[in-house]
PDB file of all heavy atoms in Angstrom:
ATOM      1  N   SER A  34     -34.967  83.411  34.612  1.00  0.00           N
ATOM      2  CA  SER A  34     -36.264  82.730  34.535  1.00  0.00           C
ATOM      3  C   SER A  34     -36.258  81.629  33.481  1.00  0.00           C
ATOM      4  O   SER A  34     -36.976  80.656  33.588  1.00  0.00           O
ATOM      5  CB  SER A  34     -37.384  83.740  34.245  1.00  0.00           C
ATOM      6  OG  SER A  34     -37.162  84.336  32.982  1.00  0.00           O
ATOM      7  N   GLU A  59      -6.370  58.797  18.096  1.00  0.00           N
ATOM      8  CA  GLU A  59      -5.321  58.907  17.078  1.00  0.00           C
ATOM      9  C   GLU A  59      -5.927  58.547  15.720  1.00  0.00           C
ATOM     10  O   GLU A  59      -5.972  57.384  15.351  1.00  0.00           O
ATOM     11  CB  GLU A  59      -4.174  57.948  17.440  1.00  0.00           C
ATOM     12  CG  GLU A  59      -2.833  58.516  17.050  1.00  0.00           C
ATOM     13  CD  GLU A  59      -1.701  57.503  17.066  1.00  0.00           C
ATOM     14  OE1 GLU A  59      -1.871  56.359  17.521  1.00  0.00           O
ATOM     15  OE2 GLU A  59      -0.619  57.884  16.589  1.00  0.00           O
ATOM     16  N   SER A  73     -19.823  58.689  25.695  1.00  0.00           N
ATOM     17  CA  SER A  73     -19.308  57.954  26.855  1.00  0.00           C
ATOM     18  C   SER A  73     -18.415  58.843  27.711  1.00  0.00           C
ATOM     19  O   SER A  73     -18.449  58.763  28.949  1.00  0.00           O
ATOM     20  CB  SER A  73     -18.500  56.737  26.398  1.00  0.00           C
ATOM     21  OG  SER A  73     -19.279  55.883  25.588  1.00  0.00           O
ATOM     22  N   VAL A  85      -5.693  63.556  17.364  1.00  0.00           N
ATOM     23  CA  VAL A  85      -4.718  63.828  16.301  1.00  0.00           C
ATOM     24  C   VAL A  85      -5.469  63.612  15.012  1.00  0.00           C
ATOM     25  O   VAL A  85      -6.028  62.534  14.794  1.00  0.00           O
ATOM     26  CB  VAL A  85      -3.551  62.812  16.329  1.00  0.00           C
ATOM     27  CG1 VAL A  85      -2.552  63.115  15.207  1.00  0.00           C
ATOM     28  CG2 VAL A  85      -2.872  62.796  17.681  1.00  0.00           C
ATOM     29  N   GLN A 122       1.932  67.351  32.056  1.00  0.00           N
ATOM     30  CA  GLN A 122       0.886  67.447  33.090  1.00  0.00           C
ATOM     31  C   GLN A 122       1.001  66.307  34.116  1.00  0.00           C
ATOM     32  O   GLN A 122       0.080  66.082  34.897  1.00  0.00           O
ATOM     33  CB  GLN A 122      -0.508  67.373  32.446  1.00  0.00           C
ATOM     34  CG  GLN A 122      -0.769  68.392  31.348  1.00  0.00           C
ATOM     35  CD  GLN A 122      -0.826  69.795  31.883  1.00  0.00           C
ATOM     36  OE1 GLN A 122      -1.625  70.087  32.766  1.00  0.00           O
ATOM     37  NE2 GLN A 122       0.050  70.673  31.402  1.00  0.00           N
ATOM     38  N   VAL A 128      -1.543  53.205  26.194  1.00  0.00           N
ATOM     39  CA  VAL A 128      -2.015  52.996  24.828  1.00  0.00           C
ATOM     40  C   VAL A 128      -2.752  51.660  24.751  1.00  0.00           C
ATOM     41  O   VAL A 128      -2.303  50.657  25.316  1.00  0.00           O
ATOM     42  CB  VAL A 128      -0.859  53.094  23.797  1.00  0.00           C
ATOM     43  CG1 VAL A 128       0.239  52.078  24.067  1.00  0.00           C
ATOM     44  CG2 VAL A 128      -1.385  52.953  22.363  1.00  0.00           C
ATOM     45  N   LYS A 145      -5.000  57.622  39.306  1.00  0.00           N
ATOM     46  CA  LYS A 145      -3.903  58.530  38.915  1.00  0.00           C
ATOM     47  C   LYS A 145      -4.324  59.379  37.712  1.00  0.00           C
ATOM     48  O   LYS A 145      -5.151  58.937  36.910  1.00  0.00           O
ATOM     49  CB  LYS A 145      -2.673  57.713  38.499  1.00  0.00           C
ATOM     50  CG  LYS A 145      -2.010  56.931  39.602  1.00  0.00           C
ATOM     51  CD  LYS A 145      -0.735  56.286  39.066  1.00  0.00           C
ATOM     52  CE  LYS A 145      -0.145  55.309  40.055  1.00  0.00           C
ATOM     53  NZ  LYS A 145       0.858  54.433  39.417  1.00  0.00           N
ATOM     54  N   LEU A 151      -6.256  55.871  21.905  1.00  0.00           N
ATOM     55  CA  LEU A 151      -7.062  54.936  21.105  1.00  0.00           C
ATOM     56  C   LEU A 151      -6.624  55.011  19.656  1.00  0.00           C
ATOM     57  O   LEU A 151      -6.402  56.110  19.130  1.00  0.00           O
ATOM     58  CB  LEU A 151      -8.537  55.317  21.192  1.00  0.00           C
ATOM     59  CG  LEU A 151      -9.115  55.154  22.588  1.00  0.00           C
ATOM     60  CD1 LEU A 151     -10.376  55.977  22.717  1.00  0.00           C
ATOM     61  CD2 LEU A 151      -9.387  53.682  22.879  1.00  0.00           C
ATOM     62  N   GLU A 154      -9.383  52.849  13.362  1.00  0.00           N
ATOM     63  CA  GLU A 154     -10.220  51.654  13.205  1.00  0.00           C
ATOM     64  C   GLU A 154      -9.495  50.499  12.524  1.00  0.00           C
ATOM     65  O   GLU A 154      -9.620  49.357  12.957  1.00  0.00           O
ATOM     66  CB  GLU A 154     -11.490  51.985  12.406  1.00  0.00           C
ATOM     67  CG  GLU A 154     -12.540  52.783  13.171  1.00  0.00           C
ATOM     68  CD  GLU A 154     -12.361  54.293  13.041  1.00  0.00           C
ATOM     69  OE1 GLU A 154     -11.273  54.748  12.602  1.00  0.00           O
ATOM     70  OE2 GLU A 154     -13.304  55.028  13.388  1.00  0.00           O
ATOM     71  N   SER A 160       3.122  53.159  15.837  1.00  0.00           N
ATOM     72  CA  SER A 160       4.289  52.721  16.611  1.00  0.00           C
ATOM     73  C   SER A 160       4.928  53.904  17.337  1.00  0.00           C
ATOM     74  O   SER A 160       5.486  53.747  18.418  1.00  0.00           O
ATOM     75  CB  SER A 160       5.301  52.016  15.706  1.00  0.00           C
ATOM     76  OG  SER A 160       5.579  52.807  14.590  1.00  0.00           O
ATOM     77  N   LEU A 181     -12.155  44.694  19.399  1.00  0.00           N
ATOM     78  CA  LEU A 181     -13.453  45.308  19.653  1.00  0.00           C
ATOM     79  C   LEU A 181     -13.584  46.570  18.808  1.00  0.00           C
ATOM     80  O   LEU A 181     -12.589  47.128  18.348  1.00  0.00           O
ATOM     81  CB  LEU A 181     -13.562  45.676  21.140  1.00  0.00           C
ATOM     82  CG  LEU A 181     -13.448  44.499  22.109  1.00  0.00           C
ATOM     83  CD1 LEU A 181     -13.255  45.004  23.540  1.00  0.00           C
ATOM     84  CD2 LEU A 181     -14.700  43.629  22.015  1.00  0.00           C
ATOM     85  N   ASN A 182     -14.807  47.023  18.658  1.00  0.00           N
ATOM     86  CA  ASN A 182     -15.019  48.345  18.060  1.00  0.00           C
ATOM     87  C   ASN A 182     -14.320  49.395  18.940  1.00  0.00           C
ATOM     88  O   ASN A 182     -14.316  49.286  20.168  1.00  0.00           O
ATOM     89  CB  ASN A 182     -16.530  48.607  17.977  1.00  0.00           C
ATOM     90  CG  ASN A 182     -16.840  50.049  17.668  1.00  0.00           C
ATOM     91  OD1 ASN A 182     -16.857  50.889  18.568  1.00  0.00           O
ATOM     92  ND2 ASN A 182     -17.076  50.355  16.414  1.00  0.00           N
ATOM     93  N   VAL A 183     -13.746  50.415  18.334  1.00  0.00           N
ATOM     94  CA  VAL A 183     -12.958  51.398  19.089  1.00  0.00           C
ATOM     95  C   VAL A 183     -13.797  52.178  20.104  1.00  0.00           C
ATOM     96  O   VAL A 183     -13.322  52.482  21.213  1.00  0.00           O
ATOM     97  CB  VAL A 183     -12.176  52.347  18.136  1.00  0.00           C
ATOM     98  CG1 VAL A 183     -13.106  53.181  17.270  1.00  0.00           C
ATOM     99  CG2 VAL A 183     -11.225  53.230  18.908  1.00  0.00           C
ATOM    100  N   ALA A 187     -13.137  52.155  24.141  1.00  0.00           N
ATOM    101  CA  ALA A 187     -13.031  53.416  24.885  1.00  0.00           C
ATOM    102  C   ALA A 187     -13.966  53.412  26.087  1.00  0.00           C
ATOM    103  O   ALA A 187     -13.578  53.767  27.208  1.00  0.00           O
ATOM    104  CB  ALA A 187     -13.363  54.595  23.963  1.00  0.00           C
ATOM    105  N   ILE A 190     -12.955  51.070  29.059  1.00  0.00           N
ATOM    106  CA  ILE A 190     -11.852  51.618  29.856  1.00  0.00           C
ATOM    107  C   ILE A 190     -12.328  52.807  30.679  1.00  0.00           C
ATOM    108  O   ILE A 190     -12.030  52.917  31.869  1.00  0.00           O
ATOM    109  CB  ILE A 190     -10.671  51.985  28.930  1.00  0.00           C
ATOM    110  CG1 ILE A 190     -10.121  50.697  28.289  1.00  0.00           C
ATOM    111  CG2 ILE A 190      -9.586  52.721  29.706  1.00  0.00           C
ATOM    112  CD1 ILE A 190      -9.202  50.934  27.113  1.00  0.00           C
ATOM    113  N   GLN A 195     -14.187  55.140  35.875  1.00  0.00           N
ATOM    114  CA  GLN A 195     -15.304  55.716  36.645  1.00  0.00           C
ATOM    115  C   GLN A 195     -15.561  54.899  37.907  1.00  0.00           C
ATOM    116  O   GLN A 195     -15.752  55.435  38.992  1.00  0.00           O
ATOM    117  CB  GLN A 195     -16.553  55.779  35.753  1.00  0.00           C
ATOM    118  CG  GLN A 195     -17.776  56.424  36.392  1.00  0.00           C
ATOM    119  CD  GLN A 195     -18.715  55.390  37.047  1.00  0.00           C
ATOM    120  OE1 GLN A 195     -18.654  54.208  36.756  1.00  0.00           O
ATOM    121  NE2 GLN A 195     -19.553  55.852  37.962  1.00  0.00           N
ATOM    122  N   ARG A 196     -15.546  53.569  37.760  1.00  0.00           N
ATOM    123  CA  ARG A 196     -15.781  52.678  38.909  1.00  0.00           C
ATOM    124  C   ARG A 196     -14.728  52.912  39.985  1.00  0.00           C
ATOM    125  O   ARG A 196     -15.046  53.087  41.161  1.00  0.00           O
ATOM    126  CB  ARG A 196     -15.747  51.222  38.433  1.00  0.00           C
ATOM    127  CG  ARG A 196     -16.234  50.199  39.437  1.00  0.00           C
ATOM    128  CD  ARG A 196     -16.022  48.765  38.952  1.00  0.00           C
ATOM    129  NE  ARG A 196     -14.614  48.411  38.872  1.00  0.00           N
ATOM    130  CZ  ARG A 196     -13.850  48.087  39.911  1.00  0.00           C
ATOM    131  NH1 ARG A 196     -14.365  48.047  41.121  1.00  0.00           N
ATOM    132  NH2 ARG A 196     -12.573  47.806  39.744  1.00  0.00           N
ATOM    133  N   ASN A 200     -15.314  54.675  43.686  1.00  0.00           N
ATOM    134  CA  ASN A 200     -14.916  54.017  44.943  1.00  0.00           C
ATOM    135  C   ASN A 200     -13.972  54.881  45.761  1.00  0.00           C
ATOM    136  O   ASN A 200     -13.986  54.838  46.987  1.00  0.00           O
ATOM    137  CB  ASN A 200     -14.215  52.675  44.659  1.00  0.00           C
ATOM    138  CG  ASN A 200     -15.193  51.601  44.230  1.00  0.00           C
ATOM    139  OD1 ASN A 200     -16.400  51.742  44.432  1.00  0.00           O
ATOM    140  ND2 ASN A 200     -14.684  50.539  43.627  1.00  0.00           N
ATOM    141  N   GLU A 212     -12.609  78.734  38.299  1.00  0.00           N
ATOM    142  CA  GLU A 212     -12.284  79.485  37.085  1.00  0.00           C
ATOM    143  C   GLU A 212     -12.655  78.676  35.822  1.00  0.00           C
ATOM    144  O   GLU A 212     -13.274  79.198  34.898  1.00  0.00           O
ATOM    145  CB  GLU A 212     -10.782  79.766  37.093  1.00  0.00           C
ATOM    146  CG  GLU A 212     -10.331  80.844  36.138  1.00  0.00           C
ATOM    147  CD  GLU A 212      -8.803  80.979  36.188  1.00  0.00           C
ATOM    148  OE1 GLU A 212      -8.193  80.656  37.241  1.00  0.00           O
ATOM    149  OE2 GLU A 212      -8.222  81.380  35.164  1.00  0.00           O
ATOM    150  N   GLY A 222     -23.435  80.273  27.609  1.00  0.00           N
ATOM    151  CA  GLY A 222     -24.426  81.336  27.546  1.00  0.00           C
ATOM    152  C   GLY A 222     -24.936  81.793  28.898  1.00  0.00           C
ATOM    153  O   GLY A 222     -25.928  82.516  28.986  1.00  0.00           O
TER     154      GLY A 222
END
Side-chain angles (χ1 to χ4, degrees):
Chain A
S34 63
E59 214 194 352
S73 303
V85 180
Q122 305 292 303
V128 59
K145 293 185 189 165
L151 294 160
E154 286 90 345
S160 51
L181 300 167
N182 167 277
V183 63
I190 295 166
Q195 183 266 342
R196 191 186 67 78
N200 286 343
E212 196 183 333

